[in-house]
Amino acid sequence: MLKVYNTMTRRKEEFKPLKKGEVSIYCCGVTPYNHPHIGNARPFVTWDVIRRYFAKKGYKVHYIQNFTDVDDKIINAANKEGVTWKDISDRYIKAYFEAMDALNVRHADVYPRVSETMPEIIAMVEKLIAKGYAYVVDNGDVYYSVEKFSHYGKLSGRSLDDMQAGARIEVNTAKHHPMDFALWKAAKPGEPSWDSPWGKGRPGWHIECSTMSLKYLGEKFDFHGGGSDLIFPHHENEIAQSQACIGDDHSFAQYWLHNGFITIHNEKMSKSKNNFFTVKDILKEYPGEVIRFFILQTHYRSPLDFSDERLKEAQTSLARLQNTKAYVDELCAKQGTADTAAELASKAEALRKEFYEAMDDDFNTALAISQMFALSKEINIYYQEVTNGTKAFDAAGFKTVAAIYAEMAEIIGIFEQQEKAEDDGLTDKLMEIIITLRQDARKEKNWAVADKIRDALKDADVVLEDTPNGVRWKKA
Ligand SMILES: [Zn+2]
């Protein structure tokens, strides 16, 4: 049984998908105005593992992640550089993908952008006004009236009275209540703006995620995720907007999952403290897989302290698993009919079960990884025994073990860069050269050379095939 910690109910609950065999996920994306930092990366690595796990369990996964490409921070960055907001957002969306690709984060099904969702956003604001949940003020701003939504505060567990007591006193505001938030902001000179029934302007931050999740996942979907800093006000406001618009208190996301903070030497990361690390900078020192592994060695809800020492430890740990992977590959290339791997295979099956149990317990990757280490240890022992001749090799039995090790790696999302680096198209290019040389030899009727190439390839377990499209190669 898969259990997840739901921020809404503050407890672990059994996951029941809305649609059998399918899982729908919306995760709040980045505001592309600078290079993603390590704290930005954590939710995306977390959700990448969750997606991989669901896919492995046979679910069809729908995963949506937005880009907030219309925002004050983007406009400020554009003004500072004397370029357009679009230049800034395009540049840093590209930077986002470069960073996440390095961390083996698979792409979302859709990456909606605010600038491309304007008609739907405007329609949703209009609906909220029509239903009495929002109001327009003189300058063309539109606000959401939190007092109209009786459940306001249910995700974060705050009451409107507490919030009001803690709210800053705003001067010259046209808001009905200090916690009312902007759905639409009237244009200021020099800002990008879009036409709307309330004049030129642009959307507030929260409305985009409501509109996009409803547009791509419907009125009810399984998961909504993001960093725990988004619980209030962002996710609280998303709920207020969406459920008011739909008219159903049980609509919108069914499970709210929030990942913990990343601290730097136990301090909050901030630009002013100069302890702000971008993924791009960390990648200069460590491979992406090490960063990913470092993130996943801690449960996603726990705080994660980032330091050079911790990254080095992650690098050493990952190297141990990679070393076993090399043993696995070496053994898989061997022949052997002995019956010596049955015990190892049954241990692997048991560890696989424990790995899945850990993942079923609110995606406990830390514990799951420890099961992978246990399997790695067992494989290392078997490898030593086979290599030093104490045991004869059992190719059939070991196949099961190798498959389980690969399955765990695939869910955690490691050993992918090694394969990428190994291949990177080089094998294909080299094979093309070899095949051309052999074709040339045959044209010249130099059968000795042609046969020598074919036999050498056969020794390397590569078979050549004549096809209507020319000579193809494959691994035997
Ligand atoms: Zn969001």
Side-chain angles (χ1 to χ4, degrees), residues 29 51 63-67 93 96-97 100-101 105-114 116-117 212 216:
R51 289 178 66 184
Y63 181 83
I64 311 294
Q65 190 181 307
N66 65 310
F67 283 118
I93 284 172
Y96 166 85
F97 283 118
M100 294 308 130
D101 287 349
V105 172
R106 291 179 183 169
H107 286 205
D109 296 306
V110 191
Y111 287 102
R113 300 186 190 192
V114 181
E116 293 163 357
T117 319
M212 290 166 179
Y216 291 100

Side-chain angles (χ1 to χ4, degrees), residues 26 28 66 205 209 224 234-235 238:
Y26 184 92
C28 290
N66 65 310
W205 170 31
C209 286
H224 198 312
H234 186 53
H235 289 164
E238 278 189 46

Side-chain angles (χ1 to χ4, degrees), residues 150-169:
S150 57
H151 304 286
Y152 192 74
K154 66 178 168 182
L155 181 70
S156 57
R158 303 174 189 213
S159 78
L160 215 43
D161 290 343
D162 296 344
M163 291 180 218
Q164 187 160 10
R168 268 179 297 141
I169 310 288

